[in-house]
Amino acid sequence: MIGDVDPEDAYDADDGLEDRILVLERTVADMLGSEPDPRREIRRAQALERVDRLGEVPPEYQSRVDAVRQALEDMWPDGQ
Amino acid sequence: MGSRYLTDLADVCRYAGAVVEIDGWQYRARGSGGYDSGYPNHLIVHHTASGPSSDPWGDVNYCTYGHPDAPVGNLYLSRDGTVYVIAGGAANTNGTGKDPCGLVPDDGMNSRSIAIEAANGGTGEPWPEVQQAAYRRLCAALLAAYNIGIGQLHAHFEWAPGRKIDPAGQSKYANGSAMWDMDRFRSDVANAGAPIPIPPDDEEEIMYLATLSNGDVVLVGSTVRPASGEELTGPYANLPRFTPDPSSYWHDWLRHGADEYARRVMG
């Protein structure tokens, strides 16, 4: 779907940590600009799973991962 | 970083119909490069969610160069059934998801599949018959050439349910804007086979046929096996390689479209 490409369409679990975090950051930015709906909730839940799967990250990445997780957790399905 | 690039991809696609090669396609890839050994082992079908005004060059340019995550897809299938070859390495477009047949790790499809972006708005726009037929032939040729099982042909929506709906739209496989019946599509692909060239009298020559939207079968090109060059691999190893001649009927057909070609040649 080139007319509706989600940032996570570029995500691949085999990619390096930097690339995976970058896609997560872009996903959050994209979702913050969209209206709450069931599809956004699916994307939010999947993004949180991907953050979990990052596991322990080197210290230099920790603040970025924390910021992504916080943004996703703050993004309630009803938009509040 | 994978090192397998599908440098025979354009040749394989020619068994589906007309092909346009986008410069540099052989080694174009996402950041992870080519495929690892044993891959690709999936074929993922999409629609573009774009309108006719950008088909083909607006879409092809976007997939190849314009999108920040380019290349988006390995192949682009236009509404007239022409295949544009974009990337011989792994591409971005499948993204996060889960494999229905369990062969690919979660979120790992981009680096393990061939992806086709087929031109359609995705909101109920009818799929032309010629495009649907080309989609079936293209899938059949790719599965055969790369030894991918029919069970590893998936819709994007099967890989990413809830997040994606493609392919969808009025066709043999769906009514209105519904998502395609993929079991029916897979069945048709399994029965489609790849187009078979006419056995040439002269072993150095080969003729190619295409089926038009009105059902007529026409000659669309002829070629000469190169004196030297890469050998085809897989099930097409014994077939001559297609080398377009700029003055050939094939190029007339590309320029004017199959129906116009048939009108001029067949009266």
Side-chain angles (χ1 to χ4, degrees):
Chain A
M1 270 189 171
I2 64 173
D4 186 19
V5 180
D6 298 330
E8 53 264 50
D9 284 340
Y11 186 91
D12 203 294
D14 298 326
D15 290 342
L17 185 61
E18 171 69 30
D19 286 337
R20 283 180 289 155
I21 292 174
L22 197 59
V23 170
L24 281 162
E25 290 172 334
R26 291 172 54 203
T27 299
V28 166
D30 187 58
M31 290 169 66
L32 287 172
S34 65
E35 294 296 317
D37 63 14
R39 179 169 170 270
R40 195 181 85 158
E41 179 52 18
I42 290 170
R43 294 176 66 193
R44 187 184 80 90
Q46 291 176 342
L48 274 170
E49 284 178 17
R50 297 202 300 282
V51 173
D52 289 341
R53 287 206 299 268
L54 292 175
E56 275 194 38
V57 298
E60 62 267 33
Y61 290 104
Q62 192 61 57
S63 62
R64 292 171 64 187
V65 173
D66 290 344
V68 167
R69 182 189 297 281
Q70 193 62 55
L72 290 167
E73 288 177 346
D74 289 347
M75 200 181 302
W76 293 94
D78 61 3
Q80 299 303 306
Chain B
M1 204 166 181
S3 59
R4 184 187 185 199
Y5 291 85
L6 308 179
T7 54
D8 59 350
L9 187 58
D11 290 312
V12 172
C13 292
R14 287 191 179 92
Y15 291 93
V19 168
V20 177
E21 300 180 42
I22 306 305
D23 194 35
W25 65 266
Q26 289 90 340
Y27 296 100
R28 183 171 289 117
R30 68 192 300 274
S32 59
Y35 297 96
D36 285 332
S37 178
Y39 297 102
N41 68 352
H42 275 66
L43 176 59
I44 309 295
V45 293
H46 301 248
H47 69 224
T48 57
S50 58
S53 63
S54 58
D55 180 5
W57 290 113
D59 285 349
V60 170
N61 281 329
Y62 190 66
C63 288
T64 311
Y65 307 108
H67 193 275
D69 295 319
V72 178
N74 301 86
L75 302 167
Y76 175 87
L77 176 63
S78 75
R79 287 170 175 81
D80 70 4
T82 303
V83 180
Y84 294 75
V85 185
I86 292 170
N92 283 318
T93 190
N94 305 302
T96 60
K98 192 174 187 67
D99 185 10
C101 54
L103 296 176
V104 165
D106 290 358
D107 306 339
M109 192 59 90
N110 280 334
S111 55
R112 293 177 175 84
S113 67
I114 300 168
I116 306 169
E117 289 284 356
N120 187 274
T123 55
E125 176 193 347
W127 290 70
E129 275 299 325
V130 67
Q131 186 188 21
Q132 293 182 59
Y135 219 165
R136 292 188 288 268
R137 289 196 305 270
L138 179 59
C139 289
L142 292 167
L143 294 178
Y146 299 114
N147 198 27
I148 300 170
I150 189 70
Q152 283 79 62
L153 164 61
H154 296 305
H156 197 193
F157 68 75
E158 292 178 307
W159 165 253
R163 191 170 70 84
K164 294 294 176 180
I165 63 164
D166 54 327
Q170 183 68 39
S171 62
K172 181 179 179 184
Y173 308 103
N175 290 320
S177 59
M179 293 184 286
W180 279 17
D181 177 343
M182 285 304 295
D183 286 337
R184 191 171 182 196
F185 182 69
R186 276 186 286 266
S187 174
D188 281 355
V189 169
N191 293 320
I196 304 298
I198 299 171
D201 294 332
D202 177 344
E203 69 175 11
E204 294 298 303
E205 266 193 313
I206 189 165
M207 316 295 273
Y208 283 80
L209 297 177
T211 303
L212 305 182
S213 55
N214 66 2
D216 288 339
V217 177
V218 298
L219 172 70
V220 296
S222 65
T223 186
V224 176
R225 186 205 307 252
S228 63
E230 290 180 26
E231 291 299 319
L232 295 177
T233 58
Y236 300 122
N238 295 322
L239 294 176
R241 188 181 179 82
F242 181 80
T243 304
D245 172 350
S247 64
S248 71
Y249 288 142
W250 179 272
H251 278 254
D252 270 359
W253 190 62
L254 285 184
R255 279 199 300 272
H256 301 293
D259 289 324
E260 171 65 10
Y261 170 77
R263 188 186 66 76
R264 291 192 298 122
V265 174
M266 303 173 72

